[in-house]
Amino acid sequence: MGFRLPSLRKASLPAIQASSKSVDVPKGYLAVYVGDKMKRFMIPVSHLNQPAFQELLSQTEEEFGYEHPMGGLTIPCREDAFLDITSRLMRC
């Protein structure tokens, strides 16, 4: 026994491929927007488990909730602070 959700449609394979090509995010990475100019950075998804990055995610949740103005994950911190945190995570 099943049910149908007529308002939901499956995206065609060409549409999925086209959207993934326009984003240009390598597998295993996440695009985030940081700073006043909303500069885009690619971070490894492994950073998401790190305590320093978890703090950034908490700040993001407090400021934006689940609505991000850029359509992607927007992190509310200065660009230099973000670079400092991510460079320390890369050395671990």
Side-chain angles (χ1 to χ4, degrees), residues 70-91:
M70 296 294 293
L73 183 61
T74 304
I75 298 180
C77 75
R78 293 185 337 264
E79 190 176 321
D80 61 334
F82 177 79
L83 290 172
D84 181 55
I85 291 168
T86 54
S87 67
R88 282 188 276 136
L89 291 175
M90 291 295 218
R91 287 186 246 145

Side-chain angles (χ1 to χ4, degrees), residues 18-85:
S19 66
S20 66
K21 288 178 185 175
S22 64
V23 176
D24 293 321
V25 178
K27 185 175 183 176
Y29 285 80
L30 174 69
V32 297
Y33 297 90
V34 178
D36 294 334
K37 296 180 182 176
M38 295 295 177
K39 187 170 180 183
R40 185 176 188 219
F41 291 92
M42 304 290 180
I43 59 160
V45 293
S46 60
H47 284 6
L48 298 175
N49 292 327
Q50 301 299 320
F53 205 82
Q54 289 285 322
E55 179 61 32
L56 288 176
L57 293 175
S58 293
Q59 292 173 10
T60 300
E61 182 182 17
E62 287 175 19
E63 185 160 331
F64 297 110
Y66 293 105
E67 295 184 29
H68 296 274
M70 296 294 293
L73 183 61
T74 304
I75 298 180
C77 75
R78 293 185 337 264
E79 190 176 321
D80 61 334
F82 177 79
L83 290 172
D84 181 55
I85 291 168

